Structures are given as structure tokens and as C-alpha cells.
Amino acid sequence: MSEPTEQEIRERAHQLWEQAGKPEGREEEFWRAAEQELRNEDKSNTLRTPDTL
């Protein structure tokens, strides 16, 4: 799997923001958290081949 798309990050950041009670002024924090989460999710994918390492 490739890097998460901007749309995937945006959607996950929005979910995290809503779960946190929609705080103002923390957009970058939620963006970074979503991006990191999606990248880590990709690395923990159990279907790993030499091509995906």
C-alpha cells in the first residue's frame, strides 16, 4: 500500500477532531495525528511481501 492520500488524511483528521469535541485552533495537531496513524496502519499490514517492505 502506498502513502495515505490527502483525502484519507483529511477524513481521519476530521474524525479525530470530532471525537475530541471539535476543539478550535488544533487543525495541524489532528492532521499530523491522522497522517501518522494512517502511515503506521500501512506498516502494520499483515500481508507483507518483499515488495511492500
Side-chain angles (χ1 to χ4, degrees):
M1 192 169 194
S2 61
E3 289 287 309
T5 66
E6 186 173 325
Q7 183 63 34
E8 290 170 328
I9 297 168
R10 179 179 292 114
E11 289 172 4
R12 182 60 184 145
H14 187 80
Q15 291 172 350
L16 293 172
W17 174 73
E18 286 184 325
Q19 289 172 2
K22 302 180 181 178
E24 291 185 33
R26 294 174 53 194
E27 295 84 3
E28 285 185 38
E29 177 184 339
F30 288 106
W31 183 274
R32 287 191 307 269
E35 187 174 30
Q36 187 64 45
E37 182 181 300
L38 290 170
R39 285 186 174 156
N40 287 341
E41 185 178 276
D42 182 39
K43 290 178 185 173
S44 66
N45 185 349
T46 58
L47 180 59
R48 298 189 71 169
T49 67
D51 294 334
T52 61
L53 295 176

